[in-house]
């Protein structure tokens, strides 16, 4: 079985999207925004839990 490996094309079948980087930045910004909101909500939740438990 001395044969070469199968051929895999080295180039993409479809042309690259021109707005790919812009879309990536938009998605990354949205993820960071919602992660920040989640951290703020968790911090407020812990704060109000501690205040409720100590009162």
């Amino acid at each position: 079985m001395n044969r070469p490996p199968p051929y895999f094309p080295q180039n993409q079948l479809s042309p690259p999207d021109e707005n790919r980087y812009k879309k990536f930045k938009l998605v990354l910004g949205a993820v960071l925004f919602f992660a920040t909101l989640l951290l703020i909500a968790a911090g407020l939740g812990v704060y109000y839990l501690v205040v409720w438990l100590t009162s």
Side-chain angles (χ1 to χ4, degrees):
M1 300 301 269
N2 193 7
R3 58 186 167 159
Y7 172 72
F8 294 105
Q10 299 298 315
N11 57 352
Q12 291 182 348
L13 298 178
S14 61
D17 187 14
E18 297 87 15
N19 295 325
R20 180 175 56 187
Y21 184 61
K22 190 182 294 185
K23 290 178 187 176
F24 173 73
K25 286 196 311 186
L26 185 65
V27 168
L28 193 62
V31 166
L32 287 174
F33 175 73
F34 285 115
T36 304
L37 281 181
L38 186 67
L39 284 174
I40 291 171
L44 283 173
V46 168
Y47 171 74
Y48 284 118
L49 178 66
V50 168
V51 167
W52 179 68
L53 287 174
T54 56
S55 63

